[in-house]
Amino acid sequence: MNLLILTYLGYTILVLIAYLVIAPIPKLLYYKIKYGSAVDIYYFPIIGLLGQIIIDLIFRQDAFYSQKRYLIKNKKLKLHISNDLKGGVHFSLIDPKLKKLVFFDQESYKKMEGMPFADTFVDQGLLFQNGQSWHKSRTMLTKHFTYQDLLVMVETLKQECNKLQLQDGPIDILSLLKQLTSTTITKTFFGSENNDISDLGVEVNKNMEKMMLFFLNPLIVLRCFALKLNKTTTPSFLLSSGEKAFLRELQDQKQRITSEIDQGIKKIKENQIVQDNILMTMCKEIINNNITKEEAIHQYFTLLIAGIDSTSHVVKNFCYALGLYPEIQNRLRNEIKSIIKQFDDLKPQQLSQLKLLDNFINESYRHYTAVPSLFNRIAIKDIKLEEFVIQKGQSMDLNMMMSHFDPSIFKNPLKFDIDRWNSPLLDTYSFTPFSAGPRNCIGQHLATLEMKTLLWQDLIRIGKYVRSNTQRFLSIEKYQQIIMSSNPYFLILHHQYDQALQLLVNDDYETLVTKSLAQYHLGKYDDALSTLDKAIQLSTDRFEAYYRKGLINFICGKIQQAQLDLQKSLVLNPNHKETQQQLSKCELELKNNKLVQTTQEKLIQQQKEVPQNCGAQRKDIYSASGKQMYKWYQTDLKVGIEIHHALPNSADLKYQFEKQRLQLSFPIEQANNFELDLDLFAEIIPETSKAKVGLNSIEIIMDKKDKTLNWNTLQKKVEDKQQIPIIEQAAYPTSSKVKKDWSKIDKEIEEDINKHKEEYGEDPLNSLFKQIYQNGDENTRRAMIKSMQTSQGTVLSTNWDEVKSKDYEKKDRPSPPKGQEYKKLG
């Protein structure tokens, strides 16, 4: 009896295998004969196209090697047909016209079932819903993907990037990206500051990776897709040990999400103030009986998976592409630095200006798309797509990978060419990385903003693997060597100038220009200029070296030489806005210098003719003080202070904000400090105020507490401006409450003056006047000219409110110092 049962069971298994293995062959041949070159067929026992993917992965190290070449071999191809798991056939749509018909006919299809245990966590989510339930969920979630919500998410992502504490040595870029996106998603969508919930997003996506590995096991694929044994009710003896562990972790994660939803419902019922985010929206819908708690859990899972996994993998792929094409990196850097100077200054609106970066993202999507084909669909009735007929119950997918390598749309498709995106596509449905039609990706704009922000954050320096030209995987140490050796500019962005110089050993034009940038930041101006001269000798018809020479000469005070260099740069590139702006600064600087020089000549001449008391000693102790002049400004929301000083190390800037006080200090020459201690005109918000160190200035930005208040002055009590001191013991002009005895450091100042003769000139007094005049506003300059000319050089004031009413020639004429007498010149 037992033998008979085993015999029948054996026959049944053989028949089943014969059906699954043999039955698809005549069907495939039928479609090939019927449609000819418009279709291509592929057969692999039981698992069909998945078999080709496995073979390509093992022998080609590229899972989609064959799919990328189908259209190159057959330009007339519209459909790719393979056997499926049920002994039938599966259609992969390639032609954009066929895809468009499916995109806008969602009622004729349903999403294919088969994902293991999907009934536990995603079946009722947006990805797998159909009909009215999908429409209701889409409407509920769409209101949280407005442009303003996306801007908030980008700002959150920036904050998380700034918190990164990267250690020296190898870094797993994929894990890092997942942590960043998980924290951003949980904070924005679910309003959670709980690290446990942020970690939950990472854990959920690790589970998804495990599930993807299940699909490499033909027995699991057969059980889940063909036999529909993919539910949580599947007998445990049919599950592998990995599936059982997966299910346990899934249940634990589901319980944690349920707890978050229960807390949200409790807050709403207790009338607590809650955030307007997706979690609270779903909680309100549960209370109003519009959705069930199970639906909310599935939507929670769906957002974690779609928002974290896809973005992190795509950015990882983009980093891989950057590692392979260093010449494209250089072009992207030049674009980025022309629009965004520092990461802290990044505004989401600026991301839309990065056209070259848009091109790079599109081309990376084309080569390394996160979704090679959209979820399989099942026809719920017979469908006619042009000359093709898909019968009820047959499966199909919209294949992105094959379409992306169509030579009739993408010339030379195997080449990574970002410039191909400068021209519009012949058919927009040939490139749909976020799907299209009514069921397009709800988070596509968010994903793009996230990717741009992450790429700007310079994550291409770190990662786990990169593929070499020999198609072998390299270790992370080798990856870092390749990336860092081709990215000295990113070292410069991170203030690692010495390390960058060690990499910049070649003598080509691009390397020399980049090398000059590192030398400039190290304060080696002469070396930088010499390096740029070498670059110009190599290529006299390129503008970059002339432009950078102009910048350095301007910083060094060689304004006329800077003007000449910038004029040469502008001739070579008339449309370069930065050159035009810098030239305008040079012209203004030269006009101011001429005016200051004329005025100072009169002042110096007058001072020489004034008899000096032999007992009086004049100590003009200004050293580098001309560089520490500052100005302030205000908007409706903020008050700012600009200090014109190049601070090589931003860590040397010390500052503290209080409600109505600012304290600031940083080292200047020798052992001296520049200090500010201001009692402010009105209150600020210390927590959101900040200080930034720029290329040649320091900027303090304080948020006003009262946004309606216009500050009349910067300080609470306006102090009188000091005149040029001619006293026995000179005092350093500063707003600091900490007084210094500068007479004790005469020797240091003398050394400082001799050291900086080229910068300050032979006469530091002249340099001080010049810089005060140049850095002052219009009223400051008017005050200096009037006070100096009308007082015959005995008064120099920068306070126009005081000077405009004074008559220094008569009633307000100052008394001469003791031991001197007043004589009218001429």
Side-chain angles (χ1 to χ4, degrees), residues 337 341-342 488-501 504 513-529 532 548 551-552 555-556 646-650 693-697:
K337 71 178 183 180
K341 304 304 180 186
Q342 293 186 13
Y489 181 78
F490 287 97
L491 287 172
I492 293 174
L493 283 180
H494 287 76
H495 313 295
Q496 300 178 31
Y497 310 120
D498 289 319
Q499 294 91 322
L501 285 176
L504 295 164
V513 172
T514 306
K515 183 178 181 179
S516 72
L517 184 61
Q519 292 169 330
Y520 163 78
H521 282 291
L522 289 170
K524 300 177 179 179
Y525 299 143
D526 291 339
D527 291 345
L529 292 172
L532 289 169
R548 193 152 296 283
L551 292 181
I552 295 175
I555 294 296
C556 293
L647 188 61
N649 187 358
S650 59
V693 177
L695 189 64
N696 54 11
S697 66

Side-chain angles (χ1 to χ4, degrees), residues 530-662:
S530 176
T531 300
L532 289 169
D533 287 334
K534 292 179 182 178
I536 291 171
Q537 290 176 5
L538 291 175
S539 181
T540 58
D541 58 348
R542 298 184 62 171
F543 79 97
E544 297 90 351
Y546 287 111
Y547 170 68
R548 193 152 296 283
K549 274 193 71 178
L551 292 181
I552 295 175
N553 280 319
F554 185 87
I555 294 296
C556 293
K558 303 174 184 177
I559 310 301
Q560 290 182 337
Q561 183 59 51
Q563 186 182 41
L564 293 175
D565 293 328
L566 292 167
Q567 286 172 345
K568 293 177 182 178
S569 172
L570 194 62
V571 170
L572 296 172
N573 188 355
N575 297 322
H576 194 239
K577 293 182 179 179
E578 287 76 8
T579 302
Q580 297 171 1
Q581 294 170 355
Q582 197 65 34
L583 262 176
S584 299
K585 291 182 180 179
C586 284
E587 292 170 0
L588 181 61
E589 198 76 11
L590 290 172
K591 290 180 181 178
N592 292 340
N593 287 351
K594 186 176 181 180
L595 178 60
V596 170
Q597 184 177 5
T598 302
T599 306
Q600 288 178 346
E601 287 174 354
K602 293 181 179 179
L603 176 60
I604 299 301
Q605 182 63 30
Q606 292 168 358
Q607 289 177 334
K608 288 180 179 179
E609 296 178 5
V610 175
Q612 300 291 318
N613 188 325
C614 59
Q617 293 185 6
R618 178 185 176 88
K619 296 181 179 181
D620 297 329
I621 305 175
Y622 297 107
S623 135
S625 61
K627 286 193 171 183
Q628 277 76 55
M629 296 302 295
Y630 66 88
K631 61 181 179 181
W632 72 283
Y633 63 89
Q634 67 172 315
T635 65
D636 292 340
L637 305 178
K638 301 178 183 296
V639 172
I641 298 175
E642 291 182 358
I643 303 172
H644 298 281
H645 177 75
L647 188 61
N649 187 358
S650 59
D652 289 337
L653 178 64
K654 310 297 181 185
Y655 59 90
Q656 180 176 347
F657 298 105
E658 299 178 13
K659 288 185 178 180
Q660 203 167 348
R661 187 180 180 187
L662 166 65

Side-chain angles (χ1 to χ4, degrees), residues 96-162:
K97 297 183 179 64
L98 300 182
K99 290 182 182 180
K100 182 178 180 180
L101 293 174
V102 177
F103 281 138
F104 289 92
D105 181 18
Q106 299 294 331
E107 303 304 320
S108 299
Y109 312 90
K110 66 176 182 179
K111 293 288 183 71
M112 185 175 180
E113 300 175 354
M115 185 178 291
F117 318 120
D119 60 316
T120 304
F121 67 108
V122 291
D123 262 359
Q124 298 179 54
L126 196 62
L127 287 175
F128 291 95
Q129 286 178 304
N130 293 290
Q132 188 60 35
S133 63
W134 169 83
H135 182 77
K136 181 175 64 175
S137 296
R138 179 84 177 201
T139 303
M140 175 183 70
L141 296 174
T142 298
K143 68 178 184 178
H144 291 287
F145 286 88
T146 65
Y147 183 67
Q148 291 302 321
D149 290 316
L150 300 186
L151 297 187
V152 171
M153 177 164 284
V154 171
E155 289 301 322
T156 303
L157 183 59
K158 282 177 56 182
Q159 294 173 12
E160 295 306 313
C161 287
N162 283 328

Side-chain angles (χ1 to χ4, degrees), residues 385-509:
L385 300 174
E386 293 187 347
E387 70 268 36
F388 306 103
V389 175
I390 298 178
Q391 298 174 356
K392 179 180 178 180
Q394 288 184 322
S395 65
M396 52 160 281
D397 71 80
L398 285 74
N399 194 293
M400 304 298 167
M401 188 62 72
M402 294 184 191
S403 299
H404 291 174
F405 290 83
D406 184 348
S408 65
I409 299 172
F410 303 102
K411 185 179 179 181
N412 195 3
L414 294 177
K415 181 182 178 182
F416 192 92
D417 181 10
I418 64 174
D419 292 321
R420 71 171 79 247
W421 297 96
N422 292 330
S423 303
L425 289 175
L426 297 176
D427 192 323
T428 57
Y429 291 93
S430 62
F431 181 72
T432 52
F434 293 103
S435 187
R439 291 198 71 143
N440 65 344
C441 176
I442 193 173
Q444 59 181 296
H445 300 300
L446 165 64
T448 301
L449 286 174
E450 276 188 300
M451 283 180 281
K452 286 186 176 181
T453 305
L454 288 169
L455 286 173
W456 162 242
Q457 178 62 1
D458 184 23
L459 289 177
I460 69 167
R461 296 187 305 114
I462 53 181
K464 195 169 184 180
Y465 298 108
V466 68
R467 193 170 299 179
S468 70
N469 293 331
T470 59
Q471 297 297 311
R472 294 182 179 179
F473 283 107
L474 303 176
S475 67
I476 180 168
E477 291 80 10
K478 187 64 176 175
Y479 171 84
Q480 284 192 308
Q481 180 182 347
I482 292 173
I483 297 300
M484 296 298 284
S485 64
S486 60
N487 288 275
Y489 181 78
F490 287 97
L491 287 172
I492 293 174
L493 283 180
H494 287 76
H495 313 295
Q496 300 178 31
Y497 310 120
D498 289 319
Q499 294 91 322
L501 285 176
Q502 293 175 10
L503 299 177
L504 295 164
V505 295
N506 296 330
D507 288 330
D508 59 281
Y509 179 86

